Amino acid sequence: SSTQQIEIAQTSPLTEPSVCLDCIAMPAGVPAVPAGQPSMTSVNSGPQAVLEGVDIDDQLWRGRRASTALVKEHAQRNEQVAAEKGGGQGLWNGVIFPCMANILGVILFLRAPWIVGRAGIANAFGLVFICCLCTFVTSLSLSAVSTNGKIMGGGSYYLISRSMGPALGAGVGLCFYMANSIGAAMYFMGTVEAWEIAFPDSQILKVGDINNVRVTAFCILIVCLIIVGGGIKYVARLGTFFLMIVLFVIFCMYLGVFIGPDQPGTSDSTYEVDLTSTDGSVSSMMVEWGGLARIGRYFSDNWGPGWTAPQKGYPNDTTEYNFVSMMGLWFPANTGIMAGSNRSADLKDPSATIPKGTLFAQLSTSFIYLSFIVLFGCVAPRETLLNDKFFASSAAWPFKEVVIYGVMASTIGAGLTSLTSGTRLLSAIAADKTLPILRHFAATPGKEPRLALLASGVLCACAIAIGELNAVAPILTMFFLMCYTCVNASCTISEAVQDPNWRPTWKYYHWSVSLFGTIQCILMMFLMDVLKAALAIVFCSVVMAYSAYNSHAVKWGDGFQGMKFQLARNVLVKMDIKAHTKNWRPQVLVVTEAQLKGQGQDETLHVDHPELLKLVSQLKGGRGITIIGAICSAKGEDAIKERGFFLRPDDTNALQDGFAAMQQLLKEYQIEGFGHVMYTEHFLDGLQSLVQVAGLGSFQPNCILASWPKESLWRGRDRKAYLVRSRLLRMVQMAVAFDKVTLVAKGEMWPDLKENLTGTIDIWWIVGDGGILLLLPFLLKKHKVWAGCKTRLFLISEKVGGDPVQMEHDLKAYVKDFRLDVEVNVKVIDNELHPEVQMYEPVLQEVPEAAPLDVSSITVMSAPAKGNEPPHVSTVFSLDDPLPAELLSPTAAPASATPAPPAGPAPGEAAPPPRRLSQQGKTASGDKLQGDDKDSPRRVTSSPAVVQQDISQPRPNLERQLSPSWLDANQLTACSVDSLKQQLEGTAKNRGKQFVNSSEQLSSTTACSKQELDIARELGKVIMEESAKAEMVVTNLPDMPLGESAYGFFELVHEITRDLKRCILVRGTSSEVITQFT
């Protein structure tokens, strides 16, 4: 590439002398400037710096291409394309002549006078003007689209498919292809009608016989197929020749109208016409033609319509016409405006020639049409116009054979153009591979599309078999209007969505004009014929559906994508972030670790927990947003290093490959959502990022789904097991902090998407969580995997102190009000059979409810040191825990006071069991305090409750004094009094907002106490008695007790859910997600 030299003057400040940079001696050892890099030289006489080769400096731009090189390559590519076209066709031969030849067809010569006789001058002028207006507006839209970038082969199909998408482009493109092929049939039948008039004695069969039209048209079709198969250059030459003939014929028609009848010395004329009856017999009739000499009389007589006037010109046509149906008959005469754009691959400069040539052809032909509509009504009476089916030739100068031969030339030329356009259109559709069934019709570049031409010939022959031009024209109209609708709509949508790439250079365009054209085309379709319009739309829709199914990989940046973007943007901006209870639906963030395996094209994404993908796919009955968050961590290593995530010199597409693999996973598991691969140095960094930034606006995840690790992974005291436990608990804590529902899936064999289960889904409802526990099974049963399962709801009640019968009655009323189809079961706990899980009421000293918690009144006393052991105090208890009587004192003693010995049980009484927590998880995260001593072991003194309680009551003010003997007896850890007070303050303020209370809980490996495990085992036995064969159990995730270690908590949950086939542990947000109201 060429280099640029930029001279930068090095001016000295103020009066300091200039310094020549080349005169400065370089120190020894300093390397010279390498070749190809900017060098500093002296230019002219002044000290200046010259930047030479700055755009190709390999050190500055690392091999990136210079802009000058890109510009040169673009120019060379354009030259190469032009050379392949052989220079290409220009404005006249490439656009104007083909368009005019296709527009000026058989309808003008064979049907225009008859339409004036039927509809009258006013109605005929109106319907022709409406048709011309439709094509004029479409030409403006076509000009805008064609100047918005380069146009390749396919013309109008290429414009629509790249503007509106491959599916709609294929549907409308195939309709346009059929319109061109059927249009060729209409032109060939018009040729036969002219041939019958010119040479009635030289017909294959009898004149007027429909079979004569068919056979003769078939012969003309075969000749035209041979010409088109020879190449477009022959068609272009013949088309231009035929167009010159047509223009000469039109000139003769104008002269004949103005000159009048050729009988000298008369003001009117009568002549004889041959009429063919329905049985094929031929008769003669004298008709009148007065010319412009009787314009006043004819104009007034022909102004109004004559829908019921008798006509013998077309005896086989018994249609009862009106304004709209007559417009359907005429409209094909206005089509052909896209004949030039259909040759886009052969044009020298499509963007420049298509707008000018199309508009010139449309405006000139519209003037010809409208002028002849008025002139025909002014020169002959209605009887002549209705009975002389070839009045255009009768009114021609100097003799009618000029028009007859001209019509034959024009129809053959228009038929050739239609066959050429249709053939290239079908080849372009097949080459895009959006319709695999048409793949055989794609032509090799530089070759003629012979198979596509054969298909066009077959379709044209089928239309010729109808044999009646008036029957073919309305069908043709529907296909053309479908195409024009989409051309106008593409401009409207591109402007409406404010697509940055929508930059047409055509100045005479406005989106409102295209919108008007869209509406007009749709109205015309349904007004002309509702049935035919519906059939055309159905045909187009079927093709669109087939194309959409086979074109997922096609990305053309169409207007529909922009429309979807704008719609999604507007919805996101206007939707409330906080959803109402009636509108709540699970929007799940699936958290899993993943690895990229392989290199280059063989690189794939492997997730650690594929069972989560199965579960979330089966949850799509909630129709919420699903986000798969796959975290690829570098295991603590720097991601920007050799072979790191962000620095792979041998495979720069590694990151993008990961995202492509994620999309494949979504498709494989039929997940209606999004996937995101998070590349981080540490797993926890990615976890924190996903929880905080996943989603957008009201589409942020409100649920986090993770997998409970296998026992072999978490049951250990090494660093690996610590990381496994820590990750899950940290995730739960983040979900609690951001007010998101936590879902933990436990179990290894989750059902495949093709299975059909027939067991039960059991809900063990222990604490209120806003209803998410009850909603999940309902949503799962919407999927075919779980549709055959039965849902059972279990509540635990005590035999002593409770009324199970009343509880069951109330529970049935509850599920009925909330419209839940579940079987209700109340599980009664016999305290004699299960003494470990009996409940104890707290014995607390309370003050009035309005009094806040006064943490300053709490005194923690230190036990005397034993040997070298430091004094310690444990905080593993709950504010709601009923402490033994010996640990309570009516007043707080000073810290320095000597503690009294603990009071033991009365003589003859057994020591009471430790008081249990009766308000699990609902008093607050701070209900359970913990110690901070790193050296002391932690013991659990509280467990999940099994009775649902009301936790809305305010917390009482408590005054407690802990005796050292009680602390020592429970082997509790030590913490400072200040730390205890701070945790109590947090407890009162952040009720339910914490799951983990200290980072030391995560690192501790102290086992769960035997008493806690016994309670967990007993609760697990209660669940197993009913749910051993259940397909899935849904229950509450216990909160992590204060002072409990992560290891102990995992043991606790493991015992509760041991041996269950599948289990989902749920921790709600206490915000209602179901409602009993409509």
Side-chain angles (χ1 to χ4, degrees):
S1 64
S2 61
T3 59
Q4 297 179 344
Q5 294 185 351
I6 306 173
E7 298 183 0
I8 305 176
Q10 305 292 327
T11 58
S12 302
L14 299 179
T15 58
E16 292 184 4
S18 300
V19 179
C20 179
L21 298 178
D22 289 342
C23 297
I24 301 177
M26 300 300 294
V30 177
V33 178
Q37 296 189 14
S39 61
M40 308 293 289
T41 61
S42 177
V43 180
N44 298 329
S45 58
Q48 296 178 331
V50 177
L51 298 177
E52 184 177 358
V54 67
D55 57 346
I56 57 174
D57 186 348
D58 187 62
Q59 296 301 319
L60 284 177
W61 313 117
R62 292 293 180 88
R64 285 184 285 174
R65 303 177 63 188
S67 57
T68 53
L70 292 175
V71 173
K72 279 193 171 183
E73 181 181 345
H74 178 76
Q76 293 172 358
R77 187 162 51 247
N78 288 341
E79 293 175 358
Q80 182 180 358
V81 172
E84 292 175 354
K85 293 181 180 179
Q89 296 179 337
L91 175 64
W92 288 94
N93 290 330
V95 182
I96 294 179
F97 287 166
C99 286
M100 293 189 68
N102 214 0
I103 295 173
L104 296 172
V106 66
I107 301 294
L108 170 64
F109 305 108
L110 297 181
R111 293 296 185 271
W114 186 81
I115 290 175
V116 174
R118 273 290 192 190
I121 297 175
N123 288 327
F125 187 90
L127 66 89
V128 172
F129 177 79
I130 291 175
C131 294
C132 291
L133 179 63
C134 177
T135 55
F136 174 72
V137 172
T138 305
S139 297
L140 292 177
S141 300
L142 179 65
S143 300
V145 177
S146 62
T147 57
N148 189 55
K150 283 190 171 294
I151 305 175
M152 305 304 291
S156 55
Y157 159 73
Y158 184 88
L159 299 177
I160 295 173
S161 61
R162 269 57 176 182
S163 300
M164 304 292 286
L168 186 59
V172 178
L174 200 59
C175 287
F176 194 47
Y177 157 73
M178 298 183 68
N180 278 278
S181 300
I182 296 174
M186 184 187 70
Y187 296 131
F188 296 151
M189 285 189 287
T191 305
V192 176
E193 288 192 15
W195 178 263
E196 288 181 337
I197 295 174
F199 303 99
D201 299 330
S202 302
Q203 303 298 312
I204 299 177
L205 299 176
K206 187 170 60 176
V207 174
D209 188 354
I210 192 172
N211 290 323
N212 181 65
V213 176
R214 293 168 178 166
V215 174
T216 308
F218 286 150
C219 295
I220 298 173
L221 172 62
I222 293 173
V223 175
C224 291
L225 289 176
I226 295 174
I227 295 174
V228 174
I232 192 173
K233 59 182 179 180
Y234 301 108
V235 176
R237 292 170 184 173
L238 285 176
T240 302
F241 172 73
F242 288 141
L243 177 62
M244 295 301 103
I245 296 178
V246 171
L247 294 178
F248 175 74
V249 169
I250 291 175
F251 175 73
C252 293
M253 290 171 60
Y254 274 118
L255 290 178
V257 169
F258 284 100
I259 294 176
D262 55 359
Q263 290 84 354
T266 61
S267 59
D268 59 348
S269 175
T270 59
Y271 61 96
E272 184 180 9
V273 295
D274 295 331
L275 303 178
T276 304
S277 62
T278 56
D279 59 359
S281 60
V282 179
S283 60
S284 300
M285 179 180 180
M286 298 299 295
V287 293
E288 177 185 353
W289 173 35
L292 291 178
R294 308 187 67 176
I295 183 173
R297 172 188 167 187
Y298 294 151
F299 182 82
S300 60
D301 291 344
N302 295 332
W303 179 257
W307 303 118
T308 59
Q311 65 90 19
K312 298 180 181 180
Y314 301 97
N316 294 324
D317 186 2
T318 59
T319 306
E320 296 182 1
Y321 286 98
N322 53 33
F323 182 88
V324 175
S325 59
M326 192 64 75
M327 185 166 56
L329 175 63
W330 170 264
F331 188 81
N334 287 87
T335 60
I337 58 174
M338 294 186 176
S341 64
N342 289 340
R343 300 185 180 187
S344 57
D346 303 305
L347 297 178
K348 182 177 181 180
D349 188 1
S351 297
T353 56
I354 288 177
K356 297 177 183 179
T358 303
L359 281 172
F360 180 86
Q362 196 281 331
L363 290 174
S364 59
T365 54
S366 295
F367 173 79
I368 293 173
Y369 285 160
L370 293 173
S371 62
F372 272 115
I373 291 297
V374 176
L375 291 174
F376 285 150
C378 293
V379 299
R382 190 184 304 273
E383 182 184 18
T384 301
L385 297 176
L386 291 176
N387 294 316
D388 186 0
K389 65 179 181 180
F390 214 166
F391 178 77
S393 64
S394 301
W397 181 89
F399 43 83
K400 67 178 183 179
E401 284 75 16
V402 173
V403 176
I404 295 175
Y405 294 129
V407 169
M408 294 171 60
S410 71
T411 51
I412 292 177
L416 287 172
T417 303
S418 296
L419 281 178
T420 303
S421 299
T423 299
R424 274 157 171 71
L425 192 58
L426 180 61
S427 178
I429 297 173
D432 281 338
K433 301 179 180 179
T434 56
L435 296 175
I437 196 174
L438 302 178
R439 62 184 180 275
H440 300 293
F441 299 107
T444 305
K447 302 289 185 178
E448 289 294 327
R450 302 290 168 76
L451 284 178
L453 176 61
L454 181 61
S456 299
V458 172
L459 182 59
C460 182
C462 293
I464 291 175
I466 298 176
E468 180 59 44
L469 189 147
N470 287 11
V472 174
I475 301 174
L476 194 62
T477 297
M478 294 301 164
F479 287 125
F480 275 114
L481 282 175
M482 281 288 296
C483 183
Y484 295 168
T485 299
C486 292
V487 171
N488 289 297
S490 64
C491 292
T492 306
I493 292 175
S494 297
E495 187 72 31
V497 301
Q498 298 179 357
D499 190 350
N501 195 49
W502 176 246
R503 301 185 303 274
T505 58
W506 179 251
K507 299 179 181 179
Y508 309 102
Y509 157 79
H510 194 268
W511 66 268
S512 58
V513 176
S514 297
L515 178 61
F516 171 79
T518 304
I519 298 173
Q520 182 190 11
C521 290
I522 294 174
L523 287 177
M524 289 175 63
M525 287 179 62
F526 283 94
L527 288 176
M528 290 177 185
D529 194 319
V530 175
L531 180 60
K532 288 186 175 67
L535 290 176
I537 292 176
V538 169
F539 173 80
C540 184
S541 300
V542 171
V543 176
M544 285 176 57
Y546 178 65
S547 176
Y549 180 79
N550 294 281
S551 58
H552 294 293
V554 177
K555 302 297 181 184
W556 290 335
D558 54 88
F560 275 124
Q561 294 297 325
M563 188 166 58
K564 293 176 184 177
F565 174 84
Q566 287 293 336
L567 180 62
R569 173 187 172 276
N570 294 336
V571 170
L572 279 173
V573 170
K574 295 180 180 180
M575 283 188 67
D576 296 331
I577 296 180
K578 190 67 174 179
H580 190 273
T581 302
K582 297 178 183 178
N583 306 118
W584 192 95
R585 61 189 64 216
Q587 299 183 164
V588 185
L589 170 63
V590 182
V591 178
T592 180
E593 192 168 10
Q595 295 85 31
L596 283 173
K597 297 182 179 180
Q599 292 183 359
Q601 297 180 352
D602 297 329
E603 192 169 36
T604 56
L605 185 71
H606 295 265
V607 296
D608 287 0
H609 304 291
E611 70 277 0
L612 295 180
L613 305 184
K614 297 180 183 178
L615 175 59
V616 77
S617 176
Q618 295 159 17
L619 264 176
K620 62 185 178 184
R623 294 301 175 186
I625 296 295
T626 299
I627 300 178
I628 308 299
I631 303 175
C632 291
S633 63
K635 309 299 183 183
E637 298 181 1
D638 189 359
I640 303 181
K641 68 170 188 178
E642 185 178 1
R643 302 302 304 167
F645 282 132
F646 306 123
L647 192 62
R648 292 190 179 184
D650 59 333
D651 188 6
T652 56
N653 296 322
L655 304 183
Q656 288 78 5
D657 291 342
F659 287 103
M662 173 58 73
Q663 297 305 314
Q664 184 62 30
L665 280 179
L666 293 176
K667 183 178 180 180
E668 177 184 350
Y669 287 94
Q670 303 176 18
I671 296 175
E672 298 177 350
F674 308 94
H676 194 82
V677 182
M678 183 71 68
Y679 298 94
T680 60
E681 295 181 11
H682 300 277
F683 177 87
L684 294 179
D685 294 338
L687 177 62
Q688 293 175 8
S689 300
L690 277 175
V691 173
Q692 296 181 69
V693 305
L696 192 64
S698 58
F699 289 92
Q700 296 179 12
N702 51 27
C703 303
I704 300 180
L705 173 63
S707 179
W708 185 269
K710 298 179 181 179
E711 184 178 3
S712 59
L713 297 178
W714 66 261
R715 190 180 289 279
R717 289 175 169 80
D718 56 355
R719 177 171 177 77
K720 182 178 180 181
Y722 156 73
L723 290 176
V724 170
R725 296 189 298 266
S726 176
R727 287 175 178 177
L728 180 62
L729 297 182
R730 287 174 186 268
M731 187 212 71
V732 178
Q733 177 58 44
M734 280 187 283
V736 173
F738 289 103
D739 203 28
K740 299 181 186 296
V741 174
T742 304
L743 306 175
V744 181
K746 190 173 185 291
E748 298 181 9
M749 299 300 297
W750 287 84
D752 293 329
L753 301 180
K754 296 182 179 180
E755 293 187 38
N756 295 296
L757 304 181
T758 57
T760 63
I761 301 176
D762 290 353
I763 307 172
W764 286 85
W765 194 17
I766 300 176
V767 294
D769 55 3
I772 183 63
L773 201 71
L774 307 177
L775 185 62
L776 277 179
F778 168 76
L779 298 179
L780 281 172
K781 288 187 64 176
K782 288 188 174 184
H783 196 276
K784 63 180 181 180
V785 172
W786 303 94
C789 291
K790 179 181 178 181
T791 306
R792 301 189 299 177
L793 174 61
F794 290 92
L795 231 65
I796 297 179
S797 176
E798 288 184 324
K799 185 175 182 180
V800 178
D803 188 350
V805 177
Q806 183 63 35
M807 175 62 71
E808 183 175 357
H809 178 270
D810 295 342
L811 184 58
K812 289 181 178 179
Y814 181 89
V815 297
K816 181 180 179 181
D817 289 342
F818 283 85
R819 308 172 305 283
L820 299 173
D821 184 18
V822 297
E823 176 187 306
V824 172
N825 296 275
V826 176
K827 184 68 176 177
V828 179
I829 299 296
D830 191 340
N831 290 331
E832 295 180 357
L833 297 178
H834 301 277
E836 293 85 352
V837 296
Q838 65 179 192
M839 306 301 165
Y840 294 88
E841 295 300 324
V843 182
L844 301 175
Q845 183 175 351
E846 300 185 5
V847 296
E849 292 181 356
L853 175 63
D854 183 9
V855 298
S856 63
S857 62
I858 300 176
T859 303
V860 181
M861 302 201 55
S862 300
K866 298 180 181 180
N868 295 328
E869 294 181 5
H872 61 276
V873 177
S874 175
T875 59
V876 282
F877 61 88
S878 169
L879 292 180
D880 288 328
D881 274 348
L883 299 179
E886 67 271 21
L887 302 183
L888 299 174
S889 83
T891 58
S896 60
T898 303
E909 291 184 5
R915 304 289 183 176
R916 310 306 316 152
L917 180 66
S918 63
Q919 298 182 15
Q920 152 66 4
K922 292 300 182 180
T923 53
S925 62
D927 285 353
K928 312 163 189 62
L929 306 181
Q930 68 165 48
D932 290 335
D933 192 342
K934 299 180 180 179
D935 299 326
S936 301
R938 287 162 176 73
R939 299 300 297 262
V940 177
T941 61
S942 59
S943 71
V946 289
V947 176
Q948 185 175 354
Q949 300 286 346
D950 182 11
I951 52 86
S952 61
Q953 299 298 325
R955 187 182 305 278
N957 183 25
L958 306 177
E959 294 182 356
R960 299 184 178 182
Q961 180 179 10
L962 309 181
S963 68
S965 60
W966 189 85
L967 299 175
D968 289 338
N970 288 274
Q971 301 180 7
L972 302 178
T973 59
C975 71
S976 65
V977 176
D978 292 338
S979 175
L980 172 60
K981 292 181 179 180
Q982 292 175 2
Q983 294 182 52
L984 290 175
E985 289 175 349
T987 296
K989 295 178 181 178
N990 301 307
R991 182 186 300 263
K993 293 298 182 183
Q994 284 185 320
F995 183 80
V996 178
N997 295 275
S998 171
S999 60
E1000 295 185 2
Q1001 288 180 282
L1002 303 176
S1003 59
S1004 176
T1005 58
T1006 303
C1008 186
S1009 66
K1010 181 179 182 302
Q1011 185 178 25
E1012 294 294 341
L1013 288 179
D1014 289 342
I1015 293 175
R1017 290 191 185 101
E1018 290 300 326
L1019 181 58
K1021 290 179 181 179
V1022 172
I1023 296 176
M1024 282 296 296
E1025 287 176 2
E1026 301 291 342
S1027 304
K1029 296 182 179 180
E1031 293 293 344
M1032 184 169 61
V1033 173
V1034 183
T1035 188
N1036 298 101
L1037 175 68
D1039 279 333
M1040 190 171 183
L1042 279 163
E1044 183 62 84
S1045 68
Y1047 186 88
F1049 177 74
F1050 269 69
E1051 286 186 314
L1052 196 70
V1053 176
H1054 177 71
E1055 292 298 333
I1056 296 175
T1057 58
R1058 178 190 289 269
D1059 298 329
L1060 292 177
K1061 193 174 184 179
R1062 303 178 189 92
C1063 179
I1064 298 181
L1065 300 169
V1066 181
R1067 191 187 193 281
T1069 62
S1070 297
S1071 298
E1072 293 296 334
V1073 299
I1074 58 174
T1075 177
Q1076 60 180 318
F1077 300 104
T1078 184

